[in-house]
Amino acid sequence: MNHDLDTVRSVATRVAPRAIELRRAIHRRPELGRQEFATTQLVVRALAGAGIESQVRSVGTGLTAEVGTGGSLVGFRADLDALPIHEQTGLSFASELPGLMHACGHDAHTAIAVGIALALKELGPLAGRVRFIFQPAEELFPGGADELLGEGAIDGVQAIIAFHVDPILPPGQIGFKTGPITSSSDRFLITVDGPGGHTARPHDSIDTIFAAGQIITQLPAILDRLVDARLPLSLVFGRVQGGIAGNVIPASVELSGTCRSLDRETWERMPKLVERLVHEIVAPLGAVATVNYEVGIPPVINDQFVVAEVEYAVSSVLGTHAVALTHASLGAEDFSYFLQEIPGALFRLGAQLPDRKTDLHSAWFDIDEAAIETGIVAGTTAMLRLMACDW
Ligand code: NI
């Protein structure tokens, strides 16, 4: 790195209050996925204030912006969207829009990305360029990452990173993990059909409820024996629907749920495997099963080299106490689409509140805003380091 760390730290710290102000402005006016028009404009204005030009997508939500010139090109990704949750925090800057809330920290991610851009601009000239990607619709399926990829948002980018706030990691710490850090997420709908009939005579009909029960218990159990136990897989049913009366065998039963994996190959194997097993489980009963398996989001697999470089950068600027180990989550994150194309990594940013516990997607969710300064200091140093790497 050709900037001394004290300068990086002081510049990054100096822009932090502006980023916190931006986070609060975004927090007050949350927008759902693909509707982040005002949020996009807030980012455009914050960047323009520092002389950074942005490229807003033609649809008006989401943007990219670059800082630096020449050399290598690395990326930083933030997400813009909020959730359909009615905020209960009572914060002075709580959502002014009933039923909408930034309950996943995307307001902070966006503010941190702007903060890093401002810090890098002030630190320039740089050894390369950083492209900031502000994506819409992370919470939706299909999400915004896939669309941005199709529009060339990461064309030429050699490596990319992102932060996600972590409500159970103390502020000042960053969680690192090589390999899988978030899971794939697929959805499925299974329908079991038969002629229906009287519960007195299942032998004259097809017991669709019993067949559905076989699927519920046997499908996860058989998958356990067919998939390497070292590669976590989770198939869980969330909805079972069938029947209207205790003495009537229904003609149709519906089961739906999600299937998640931390391994790309296992994830790719699932659609065919689930379909085959469902048919085989109900075959002895004569029931007809239809499997509608919807392939969703891939797992986020962190690149070992990127993790090592960012860990080095973070420990040099914030000290080794800032480096924490983190676990993989079975939640999904569409940042994975970018990592299918180029090396990169997602890091957890400690944002735990001092006085109470919260969870992501809760109406009481909030972060310790000290995380924003940590994110800017760490992110700025990480981008300087990644720009200087030989890709
Ligand atoms: Ni999120």
Side-chain angles (χ1 to χ4, degrees), residues 189-197 202 205-213 215 241-243 249-255 278-279 282-292:
L189 168 68
I190 300 169
T191 313
V192 182
D193 293 306
S205 176
I206 287 166
D207 191 343
T208 47
I209 295 269
F210 183 80
I215 295 171
Q241 215 149 22
I249 294 175
S252 185
V253 178
E254 277 187 4
L255 311 173
V278 167
H279 292 310
V282 301
L285 301 165
V288 178
T290 315
V291 181
N292 197 323

Side-chain angles (χ1 to χ4, degrees), residues 300-338:
V300 170
I301 314 279
N302 279 347
D303 180 85
Q304 193 179 341
F305 179 70
V306 174
V307 172
E309 291 296 333
V310 173
E311 192 175 323
Y312 177 81
V314 167
S315 58
S316 19
V317 75
L318 290 170
T320 48
H321 61 272
V323 174
L325 292 179
T326 192
H327 297 288
S329 146
L330 284 181
E333 161 63 79
D334 77 350
F335 182 54
S336 53
Y337 286 105
F338 298 128

Side-chain angles (χ1 to χ4, degrees), residues 36-338:
E36 311 93 333
F37 300 102
T39 310
T40 297
Q41 288 309 317
L42 279 174
V43 174
V44 169
R45 276 201 296 278
L47 292 171
I52 303 166
E53 211 179 293
S54 4
Q55 278 71 47
V56 176
R57 296 170 67 231
S58 58
V59 289
T61 67
L63 64 142
T64 57
E66 281 190 19
V67 178
T69 47
S72 61
L73 175 62
V74 292
F76 188 93
R77 175 274 207 170
D79 37 14
L80 298 166
D81 56 327
L83 288 155
I85 295 176
H86 192 82
E87 182 161 353
Q88 305 286 349
T89 60
L91 291 166
S92 60
F93 53 91
S95 171
E96 292 166 359
L97 306 173
L100 296 177
M101 177 186 178
H102 269 287
C104 196
H106 299 189
D107 49 349
H109 305 160
T110 295
I112 289 167
V114 169
I116 297 169
L118 264 48
L120 288 171
K121 179 77 181 175
E122 208 172 313
L123 283 166
L126 307 171
R129 283 178 294 154
V130 180
R131 184 177 300 160
F132 292 89
I133 297 164
F134 297 88
Q135 78 155 80
E138 193 282 324
E139 300 286 358
L140 300 183
F141 178 79
D146 204 20
E147 277 170 45
L148 259 68
L149 205 60
E151 293 167 13
I154 61 162
D155 286 2
V157 177
Q158 286 152 306
I160 188 163
I161 67 166
F163 288 141
H164 202 295
V165 291
D166 184 339
I168 54 163
L169 187 69
Q173 291 205 298
I174 295 179
F176 289 84
K177 188 179 182 304
T178 298
I181 184 162
T182 68
S183 166
S184 63
S185 175
D186 298 341
R187 292 188 291 203
F188 59 81
L189 168 68
I190 300 169
T191 313
V192 182
D193 293 306
H198 199 299
T199 53
R201 289 176 289 281
H203 53 283
D204 283 339
S205 176
I206 287 166
D207 191 343
T208 47
I209 295 269
F210 183 80
Q214 295 295 307
I215 295 171
I216 292 170
T217 55
Q218 288 193 39
L219 182 59
I222 298 171
L223 283 173
D224 267 0
R225 287 296 166 275
L226 298 184
V227 174
D228 188 333
R230 293 168 299 176
L231 307 173
L233 172 81
S234 161
L235 184 141
V236 176
F237 294 92
R239 185 174 70 89
V240 178
Q241 215 149 22
I244 40 158
N247 60 353
V248 178
I249 294 175
S252 185
V253 178
E254 277 187 4
L255 311 173
S256 62
T258 60
C259 187
R260 299 162 187 273
S261 172
L262 293 171
D263 177 62
R264 201 171 274 156
E265 275 172 35
T266 307
W267 173 61
E268 285 166 357
R269 246 180 100 192
M270 276 311 119
K272 276 191 179 150
L273 188 55
V274 167
E275 168 129 32
R276 174 171 75 80
L277 292 177
V278 167
H279 292 310
E280 289 175 2
I281 291 166
V282 301
L285 301 165
V288 178
T290 315
V291 181
N292 197 323
Y293 193 99
E294 193 182 359
V295 173
I297 297 165
V300 170
I301 314 279
N302 279 347
D303 180 85
Q304 193 179 341
F305 179 70
V306 174
V307 172
E309 291 296 333
V310 173
E311 192 175 323
Y312 177 81
V314 167
S315 58
S316 19
V317 75
L318 290 170
T320 48
H321 61 272
V323 174
L325 292 179
T326 192
H327 297 288
S329 146
L330 284 181
E333 161 63 79
D334 77 350
F335 182 54
S336 53
Y337 286 105
F338 298 128

